[in-house]
Amino acid sequence: ACTSFKRQLQARLSPGERAAILEQYGHHMLDNWMDRQADANKTELSMMCRQALYAGHRWETMSHLSSFQLCREDGMDQAKFRTPRDLLPSHDFQKLHRPALHIQGAWSHGFAFHIAVSDDDMKKDTNNNIEVFARMQESIYRRFRGLPLHWSLIQDNTCRECRNSKMVKW
């Protein structure tokens, strides 16, 4: 969107058209800033929850507002992470079968980081995302003997991997 606005502003425009585009661009920038502020606030809230747990508080005694966890989940592009790797590949090296491993990370701010590595033929769908997230939550449950009352999950994948109906049902 930013590039589109900048391209439009480079064209010959009347003062009214330029003002309208600048107005839209300003709203776009404000929306981005507000999204980043909301993200930063959720990150801070998740970190404060972890600090309270380290200070001796228990999940059951925390208020609804402070029992919070921000989680992010994303996978890596398989084509970029083929194994084995060689920075100066030879002709013989090109003939090798180099599987494109599926690598996925889940990060819960202040609590845990989980990396899952699976074969290249593994289905990359919502069930896979749920499993990675569930394994991370299990490690948090074992470490802190409970889970928060509120989660915020941010996923940056294709729609086939982040079906909201399946995530909410889980």
Side-chain angles (χ1 to χ4, degrees), residues 32 42 48 68 91 145:
N32 281 339
K42 287 181 178 183
M48 288 171 48
F68 180 81
H91 182 68
R145 288 181 240 122

Side-chain angles (χ1 to χ4, degrees), residues 20-99:
I21 292 171
L22 282 171
E23 178 87 14
Q24 292 173 354
Y25 186 45
H27 285 297
H28 169 72
M29 294 302 289
L30 180 61
D31 288 344
N32 281 339
W33 181 79
M34 291 176 72
D35 281 347
R36 289 185 179 141
Q37 288 300 312
D39 186 85
N41 288 340
K42 287 181 178 183
T43 302
E44 182 66 23
L45 189 56
S46 187
M47 299 296 284
M48 288 171 48
C49 180
R50 192 262 343 245
Q51 288 173 348
L53 290 169
Y54 281 154
H57 294 274
R58 294 187 357 230
W59 293 108
E60 304 85 37
T61 62
M62 290 180 146
S63 73
H64 284 276
L65 297 175
S66 61
S67 180
F68 180 81
Q69 185 183 62
L70 174 64
C71 305
R72 299 177 197 273
E73 189 172 3
D74 199 1
M76 293 183 175
D77 184 13
Q78 288 181 287
K80 294 178 184 173
F81 296 96
R82 292 186 178 270
T83 56
R85 293 187 58 92
D86 188 358
L87 297 178
L88 300 170
S90 65
H91 182 68
D92 290 333
F93 187 79
Q94 295 294 335
K95 294 178 184 176
L96 289 176
H97 172 69
R98 297 173 53 222

